[in-house]
Amino acid sequence: MIDQYQSNEKTSDILPSLFKKIIKEYTINRLFYAKGPGSFMAIKITYLFLKTISITKNLQLFATDGFTFNQNSPIKAIGNLYFIKKDGRISTQKIGDIKLTQNSFALPQQLDITCYSSDSEPLYVLPAL
């Protein structure tokens, strides 16, 4: 069984209280997260938060890209730009009136550690604006 937590709060507001609850309920041995592409601020906050926990609690931190969780569908960037992953490379592409088949993000039923890397630094595809 997979427990799910959802919130419409900002990442910076929800992470501390969410992790406080998770740490009380579970023994954490390793941390896994999606390092991008997506919102720069959310990615930075998540990385700093998880990296701090990994250092203070002596836990390994692993990361993968967001395409692992949406069947490799385009991910909204800004305007009509989308992040796409083709042949292992992530780039942006303008998608105009094309009907997108966007799959929703979902956790896998079983964690495949081979999809993750110890290279956990955030993935920035677009330059900062």
Side-chain angles (χ1 to χ4, degrees):
M1 185 174 126
I2 296 175
D3 288 335
Q4 295 183 24
Y5 302 90
Q6 289 182 303
S7 175
N8 291 326
E9 293 183 53
K10 292 180 180 179
T11 303
S12 57
D13 294 336
I14 194 63
L15 271 178
S17 60
L18 179 62
F19 262 81
K20 184 177 181 180
K21 181 178 181 175
I22 291 170
I23 287 171
K24 281 183 180 180
E25 291 183 31
Y26 301 97
T27 301
I28 299 174
N29 299 314
R30 296 176 286 185
L31 299 169
F32 297 84
Y33 90 110
K35 64 181 183 175
S39 162
F40 288 147
M41 189 56 69
I43 292 168
K44 283 189 252 185
I45 289 168
T46 303
Y47 172 73
L48 289 172
F49 186 87
L50 294 177
K51 187 65 175 179
T52 300
I53 289 177
S54 77
I55 291 168
T56 60
K57 300 222 178 257
N58 197 28
L59 301 171
Q60 292 177 295
L61 178 60
F62 297 96
T64 189
D65 63 58
F67 296 100
T68 302
F69 304 103
N70 76 349
Q71 297 80 46
N72 202 36
S73 295
I75 298 172
K76 181 85 167 131
I78 189 169
N80 63 351
L81 278 179
Y82 286 78
F83 298 107
I84 59 165
K85 185 174 181 182
K86 188 174 180 182
D87 300 325
R89 294 183 51 99
I90 298 172
S91 61
T92 56
Q93 179 178 331
K94 282 187 179 183
I95 299 178
D97 296 330
I98 299 171
K99 182 100 172 168
L100 287 178
T101 326
Q102 284 186 287
N103 292 311
S104 60
F105 288 86
L107 290 173
Q109 290 298 311
Q110 187 169 345
L111 185 69
D112 180 1
I113 197 165
T114 63
C115 295
Y116 295 82
S117 166
S118 59
D119 175 13
S120 61
E121 290 189 14
L123 175 62
Y124 300 121
V125 178
L126 295 174
L129 299 175

